[in-house]
Amino acid sequence: MDAVTTERLAQLIRTRQPCVALTGAGVSTESGIPDFRSPTGIWATYDPMEVASIDGFRRDPARAWEFYARRLAVLAEVEPNEGHRALAELEARGLVEAVVTQNVDGLHQRAGSRNVVEVHGSVRTSGCLDCGTPAGLERVLELLPLPTCECGGILKPGVVMFGELLPEAAFAYAGELARAAGLLLVVGSSLEVHPVAGLPFETLRGGGKLAIVNRGATALDEHADLVLDGSAGELLRETVQEVGY
Ligand SMILES: [Zn+2]
């Protein structure tokens, strides 16, 4: 681990307030949640376009729910990792204003983050495709294998599927946060999924800076003040120590 680089990140966080975190799958892979872009685990068994697109879901909701039931079972067994905990701690110290996340797993909240903006939705709630009535996770688990609403409609997990628009209010809030940020701290995202990948440009246009913590290169490395390549958990834990109290 390079102490100089985490020291530089700690300095950016201290001096470029407000700091907003933008997180992607790379934060959660360290908790053991597979990323659909690297076809391992359940993503090797199911075709994302079949089970994670709105058209595929409508065509065969039973097959899609079989997949989501397995994802929910994975989620029940995993824990937030050092990366989630570091961001929660920075928020508790007043150094991170919000976590904008592409993840739907709820691990940021479980780690203690309070202001979490879920731009790709969440698996914790589902909604009826016909009448829109929401259903919580516990209810949905009782209703498996094919959860339906009291009206007879099919329940759909509250995650944004391929072919669906992002939740408008959450994405508008994410844009506001990005524009006002002194520092946008990208963690575990290769910044390839639009429109989320446009948020760093909102920060840069607003005069803020960009720091990236990710395994491997991202699409926006050349625009960043600082790029740290490695484990989000290790790098953020070290950064929190550097920040001090
Ligand atoms: Zn309904």
Side-chain angles (χ1 to χ4, degrees):
M1 207 54 55
D2 188 342
V4 176
T5 53
T6 51
E7 199 183 304
R8 170 81 180 123
L9 179 55
Q11 187 190 26
L12 280 172
I13 291 171
R14 275 195 309 261
T15 57
R16 307 275 326 168
Q17 287 291 318
C19 170
V20 172
L22 171 61
T23 71
V27 180
S28 292
T29 47
E30 289 178 26
S31 283
I33 295 177
D35 181 359
F36 73 88
R37 275 170 296 251
S38 51
T40 53
I42 47 176
W43 289 105
T45 321
Y46 295 85
D47 173 3
M49 290 320 287
E50 189 188 329
V51 294
S53 76
I54 185 63
D55 290 342
F57 184 86
R58 285 180 188 278
R59 254 194 314 276
D60 193 351
R63 167 83 174 161
W65 267 113
E66 181 189 302
F67 164 76
Y68 282 101
R70 289 181 64 177
R71 274 185 87 182
L72 292 173
V74 170
L75 278 184
E77 282 172 16
V78 301
E79 296 291 336
N81 63 58
E82 296 274 12
H84 297 108
R85 283 195 288 272
L87 290 172
E89 188 162 344
L90 289 170
E91 183 182 349
R93 293 192 203 175
L95 291 167
V96 161
E97 186 185 11
V99 178
V100 175
T101 187
Q102 297 170 277
N103 300 333
V104 297
D105 52 39
L107 288 177
H108 282 301
Q109 292 92 330
R110 281 173 58 191
S113 286
R114 288 162 172 267
N115 195 11
V116 182
V117 187
E118 295 174 306
V119 289
H120 287 177
S122 166
V123 294
R124 287 168 305 153
T125 53
S126 294
C128 174
L129 280 177
D130 290 346
C131 73
T133 300
L137 186 52
E138 273 182 33
R139 181 77 186 123
V140 163
L141 291 173
E142 286 167 11
L143 292 168
L144 284 170
L146 182 56
T148 50
C149 178
E150 279 174 15
C151 81
I154 304 269
L155 292 173
K156 186 195 90 78
V159 303
V160 177
M161 296 187 168
F162 298 112
E164 284 188 306
L165 296 175
L166 297 197
E168 214 172 315
F171 194 69
Y173 181 38
E176 261 172 52
L177 287 164
R179 273 189 290 281
L183 179 70
L184 187 72
L185 171 58
V186 176
V187 184
S189 172
S190 49
L191 297 171
E192 282 164 348
V193 179
H194 288 272
V196 171
L199 290 174
F201 290 107
E202 301 281 346
T203 301
L204 294 171
R205 270 196 291 272
K209 291 194 183 298
L210 184 59
I212 299 174
V213 175
N214 191 53
R215 266 191 203 284
T218 80
L220 298 184
D221 282 0
E222 59 179 297
H223 299 283
D225 237 50
L226 180 68
V227 178
L228 302 186
D229 189 336
S231 153
E234 285 173 30
L235 288 165
L236 288 183
R237 186 187 55 213
E238 199 166 303
T239 301
V240 167
Q241 284 162 2
E242 300 275 0
V243 164
Y245 284 92

